[in-house]
Amino acid sequence: MAQQSANAPLLRRMNARTVFDAIWAAHPISRAEIARHVGMAKPTVSNVLQDLGAAGLVRETPPPDGVVRQRNITFEPVPRSAYVLGIDVGGRFLRAALASLDGATLAREDLTHTDLDAAALPWLALRLRDRLLDQAGVSLDRLEEIVVGMPGIIHPATGKIRKVNPSRIDGYPIVEALSVSLEHPVTVENDINLAALGERWRGLGQGVDDFAFLSVGTGVGAGLVLRGHLYRGHSGAAGEIDLPGDADSPAAHAISAFAHRLYGHTPPSVPAIFATAQDDPTARLVLHEEARRIASAIAPIARVNDVELVVLGGGIGSHCGPLLDEVRTELSSRVHTPPRIEISALGDAPVLIGALALGTETCKAEIVTRRFNDS
């Protein structure tokens, strides 16, 4: 009897999580449908629904005609039972968004910066958090998850960031610093990994189990989704394909150096080269070289992982529409079955969308345990 009593809270949480997941997967849904889907007795389902309702996580679906009929009652989740904060830390900006549990963005704000350092980041993150909560009219106690995307490798054991630009942040205990500043556990993830999750959730990667997000900008990095899940590697460094000083890199610094040799003087900016390529033979040569380099970066990913799709993003990659045919032609000469190559449709927000995707997924997985432990 004592053992049964000790196990009762655990069984209650397990049943609640099972029913909660079923409601999110197929709502509106009736008691009978829940019982059939999860294999529980109807009285047990009724008790669990009462618990979930008291915790503010589910509710009866409003009837379309406003008339409640007992046998037709269905249930749905409460999206605003919890909130997620996503932050994208870029080289010249911080982008942040607040979303409800269904992923709907309630507030977003971007801050530009010129010289972000380790001491400033936690303070700026706190400032963004408070402003977004205020804009959305959300209380701090309803913020369940915070996910931050940063360039660099986040060591899974120490929480320190490494191989990051600016290099003065290298080795900084970023997870601890942000968690202390925001007074909440923070998940810090590589930004390109989050971009891949953003594509999987709301972009071209929806329904694609094996694909890569290739970011081409000041650096080059890849986020890999394999068998439907983000692949980080054993030390979190999967996808770090850009080596320092690689003269054959498609990154901005490398292609600018190549352009300098062709022009014989300080070349136009990369965007200007893209814009003038139709009329400027030298610019066309630069773009042809960039297409070759991008194909070279994709080829090993495609050969080793046999991905179905590669999504291009980043400051250069997201503007490579005019190069797609050349990239595809170059890649077909290097890979037996080349993947489909597309430009991200998520604009400047794939990292931010990925942060919200990871945050809402984690929140849904853990909120039942959190609420029931508090009750």
Side-chain angles (χ1 to χ4, degrees):
M1 182 67 70
Q3 185 174 1
Q4 280 187 333
S5 176
N7 289 337
L10 174 61
L11 180 60
R12 178 171 171 253
R13 289 194 299 270
M14 291 174 61
N15 286 343
R17 170 70 191 278
T18 300
V19 172
F20 181 71
D21 289 347
I23 293 172
W24 268 103
H27 60 273
I29 186 170
S30 68
R31 279 185 182 86
E33 290 170 325
I34 294 170
R36 188 164 57 249
H37 287 174
V38 304
M40 285 183 193
K42 289 182 183 178
T44 303
V45 171
S46 294
N47 290 335
V48 172
L49 286 169
Q50 187 174 1
D51 286 342
L52 289 171
L57 297 177
V58 304
R59 64 192 173 200
E60 292 184 6
T61 309
D65 58 4
V67 179
V68 177
R69 299 174 179 84
Q70 191 64 31
R71 65 180 179 180
N72 292 330
I73 291 176
T74 59
F75 296 85
E76 64 184 10
V78 181
R80 297 201 176 196
S81 59
Y83 298 87
V84 172
L85 175 67
I87 301 176
D88 172 16
V89 180
R92 298 180 302 277
F93 57 81
L94 272 77
R95 297 188 176 105
L98 184 75
S100 50
L101 201 51
D102 59 354
T105 299
L106 306 178
R108 174 177 165 173
E109 186 163 340
D110 297 359
L111 292 178
T112 58
H113 65 81
T114 56
D115 190 26
L116 185 65
D117 60 25
L121 178 56
W123 179 82
L124 287 173
L126 178 63
R127 175 183 169 193
L128 283 169
R129 183 204 70 182
D130 290 346
R131 289 172 65 148
L132 292 177
L133 289 173
D134 184 61
Q135 289 174 33
V138 172
S139 60
L140 180 58
D141 63 339
R142 288 297 185 184
L143 182 60
E144 290 281 347
E145 292 292 332
I146 302 174
V147 179
V148 178
M150 293 192 65
I153 304 167
I154 316 302
H155 195 282
T158 66
K160 291 183 178 181
I161 190 167
R162 52 203 173 95
K163 307 297 182 185
V164 65
N165 185 23
S167 60
R168 62 182 177 277
I169 301 180
D170 205 299
Y172 185 67
I174 191 66
V175 175
E176 179 184 358
L178 287 171
S179 298
V180 169
S181 174
L182 296 170
E183 300 176 294
H184 193 288
V186 173
T187 298
V188 181
E189 178 63 85
N190 172 266
D191 54 354
I192 311 306
N193 283 348
L194 288 181
L197 290 179
E199 290 291 339
R200 172 75 172 167
W201 194 38
R202 296 282 172 85
L204 298 173
Q206 294 178 80
V208 182
D209 284 342
D210 299 292
F211 75 92
F213 182 96
L214 183 69
S215 176
V216 183
T218 54
V220 183
L224 292 173
V225 172
L226 302 177
R227 298 184 180 179
H229 299 283
L230 180 67
Y231 180 75
R232 296 179 176 86
H234 82 279
S235 67
E240 293 293 317
I241 60 176
D242 197 27
L243 297 176
D246 182 3
D248 203 39
S249 169
H253 62 86
I255 201 64
S256 292
F258 176 79
H260 192 282
R261 293 197 299 273
L262 284 184
Y263 281 94
H265 55 77
T266 301
S269 66
V270 173
I273 291 173
F274 272 84
T276 60
Q278 186 172 352
D279 302 315
D280 182 354
T282 305
R284 285 200 297 274
L285 285 175
V286 175
L287 295 195
H288 175 76
E289 175 65 12
E290 180 68 351
R292 184 193 70 78
R293 293 181 182 208
I294 290 173
S296 297
I298 295 172
I301 298 172
R303 286 196 292 260
V304 172
N305 298 294
D306 192 26
V307 292
E308 175 185 344
L309 167 71
V310 174
V311 181
L312 296 180
I316 294 177
S318 59
H319 295 91
C320 279
L323 303 185
L324 277 184
D325 286 343
E326 283 196 69
V327 172
R328 290 165 180 156
T329 299
E330 285 282 344
L331 189 61
S332 65
S333 68
R334 300 164 187 262
V335 179
H336 291 300
T337 54
R340 182 164 49 100
I341 312 295
E342 303 290 351
I343 305 295
S344 174
L346 297 181
D348 64 2
V351 177
L352 196 54
I353 291 172
L356 297 178
L358 181 58
T360 54
E361 179 185 9
T362 303
C363 190
K364 287 178 190 176
E366 298 181 1
I367 192 169
V368 168
T369 298
R370 293 173 185 172
R371 293 284 171 90
F372 278 50
N373 281 343
D374 291 342
S375 62

